[in-house]
């Protein structure tokens, strides 16, 4: 298991930002060649980002590159050079079908991308929500779905409101697709970097819904995001009690197990093991 609580976008055209990212407490980084880079800076940013990805200077952080979309003039060169750099993942915006996943996969193979370089598909349109299960199941190389909530809201003509009610249908469809196919899924960004309370509330909502982590646009969002998406001390302690009680009951041939006054079943044990595995993965990452 690999923690992906906090996944921070870093502008590929900004050399200082790429250097700063080496010291940030993010589980993963997305070195961005798309929205954060002006058209006349695309080529320079591509060279800079690919060099960073190949440098081996980012420690335990999972390192990915967001390329420009399939319909853009930069996509082919982005994908080819990113594949050569061999990051942990290549993030592709606006993936709308399983066929597009197959196209991306073939391009990576043709460019000689190592097996470790996975596809992270951004789902950010109504059609992607409706096809999310097909997209997620299209390839074993696709390991992560990334919500593009800004674009989804735009396509829906939806307003940004606390609680994200207009987006919940799409978020739920994507979550169902990820869980049905065994993929990781990351929540979208929170735009107001000065609204710490609103950001943390959205992190809590995302974790409660079942997201594995959240994409971020500013380093100030790292601490609350890491905290919310990590198992708390109470959760870890409870999970240990659940497993210990269940194992003891199994050894004694008992059919009923209770912990803290609640009946425990296999599903609770599975969840406890998942929580402990995540806590261990976070501790190992340091």
């Amino acid at each position: 298991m690999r923690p992906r609580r906090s996944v921070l976008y870093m502008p590929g055209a900004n050399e200082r930002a790429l250097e700063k990212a080496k010291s940030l407490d993010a589980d993963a980084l997305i070195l961005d060649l798309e929205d954060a880079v002006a058209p006349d800076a695309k080529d320079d940013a591509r060279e800079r980002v690919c060099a960073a990805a190949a440098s081996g200077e980012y420690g335990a952080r999972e390192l990915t590159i967001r390329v420009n979309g399939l319909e853009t003039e930069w996509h082919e060169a982005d994908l080819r050079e990113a594949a050569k750099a061999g990051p942990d993942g290549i993030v592709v915006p606006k993936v709308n079908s399983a066929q597009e996943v197959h196209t991306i996969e073939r391009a990576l193979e043709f460019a000689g991308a190592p097996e470790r370089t996975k596809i992270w598909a951004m789902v950010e349109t109504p059609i992607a929500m409706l096809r999310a299960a097909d997209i997620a199941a299209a390839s074993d190389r696709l390991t992560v779905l990334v919500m593009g909530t800004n674009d989804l809201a735009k396509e829906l003509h939806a307003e940004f409101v606390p609680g994200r009610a207009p987006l919940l249908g799409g978020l739920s469809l994507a979550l169902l697709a990820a869980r049905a196919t065994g993929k990781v899924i990351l929540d979208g960004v929170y735009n107001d970097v000065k609204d710490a309370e609103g950001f943390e509330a959205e992190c809590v909502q995302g974790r409660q819904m079942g997201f594995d982590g959240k994409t971020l646009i500013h380093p100030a969002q790292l601490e609350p995001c890491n905290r919310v998406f990590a198992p708390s001390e109470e959760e870890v302690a409870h999970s240990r009690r659940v497993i210990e009680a269940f194992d003891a009951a199994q050894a004694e041939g008992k059919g009923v197990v209770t912990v803290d006054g609640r009946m425990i079943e296999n599903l609770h044990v599975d969840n406890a093991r998942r929580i402990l595995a995540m806590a261990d993965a976070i501790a190992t990452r340091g």
Side-chain angles (χ1 to χ4, degrees), residues 67-83:
V67 300
N68 286 279
L70 284 90
E71 302 302 320
T72 68
E73 62 185 278
W74 307 286
H75 174 77
E76 185 177 341
D78 284 353
L79 207 61
R80 181 180 64 249
E81 297 306 314

Side-chain angles (χ1 to χ4, degrees), residues 11-254:
N14 188 328
E15 191 169 358
R16 289 181 61 190
L18 296 180
E19 184 65 28
K20 182 179 180 179
K22 297 175 183 178
S23 62
L24 295 176
D25 191 22
D27 286 339
L29 300 167
I30 299 176
L31 309 185
D32 191 15
L33 297 176
E34 194 206 15
D35 289 345
V37 181
D40 60 356
K42 297 284 189 186
D43 292 342
D44 288 343
R46 182 190 304 124
E47 183 177 348
R48 185 176 294 113
V49 160
C50 290
S55 70
E57 296 176 356
Y58 288 82
R61 298 166 192 82
E62 195 168 10
L63 198 62
T64 71
I65 297 173
R66 179 163 75 162
V67 300
N68 286 279
L70 284 90
E71 302 302 320
T72 68
E73 62 185 278
W74 307 286
H75 174 77
E76 185 177 341
D78 284 353
L79 207 61
R80 181 180 64 249
E81 297 306 314
K84 292 177 184 177
D88 295 302
I90 293 179
V91 184
V92 184
K94 291 186 176 62
V95 176
N96 287 323
S97 69
Q99 183 57 50
E100 291 181 352
V101 176
H102 297 320
T103 299
I104 296 161
E105 184 174 37
R106 287 194 298 269
L108 290 179
E109 291 171 354
F110 184 77
E115 283 298 315
R116 66 186 291 272
T117 299
K118 305 303 182 182
I119 298 170
W120 290 26
M122 294 196 70
V123 286
E124 42 192 337
T125 64
I127 193 64
M129 300 304 105
L130 295 173
R131 295 174 177 170
D134 291 339
I135 292 169
S139 169
D140 289 339
R141 193 162 198 158
L142 191 161
T143 57
V144 179
L145 294 181
V146 182
M147 297 304 306
T149 44
N150 282 336
D151 279 275
L152 181 60
K154 171 181 172 288
E155 295 289 332
L156 292 174
H157 306 167
E159 296 182 15
F160 289 98
V161 295
R164 299 189 290 182
L167 303 184
L168 293 181
L171 295 175
S172 296
L173 286 172
L175 274 160
L176 287 168
R179 294 296 168 242
T181 55
K183 311 296 184 178
V184 169
I185 184 165
L186 303 174
D187 199 359
V189 301
Y190 190 82
N191 299 311
D192 188 350
V193 297
K194 295 182 179 180
D195 181 10
E197 184 177 346
F199 171 72
E200 184 158 343
E202 192 166 289
C203 287
V204 170
Q205 181 198 40
R207 184 181 177 190
Q208 289 174 343
M209 290 183 71
F211 284 103
D212 295 293
K214 191 167 182 64
T215 49
L216 312 175
I217 59 172
H218 194 277
Q221 297 174 326
L222 285 166
E223 187 281 327
C225 188
N226 283 336
R227 172 167 40 81
V228 169
F229 279 96
S232 66
E233 292 182 6
E234 293 78 7
E235 287 176 299
V236 170
H238 177 75
S239 295
R240 288 189 176 128
R241 290 198 299 274
V242 166
I243 293 171
E244 290 169 1
F246 188 83
D247 288 346
Q250 292 284 93
E252 296 172 11
K254 294 181 179 179

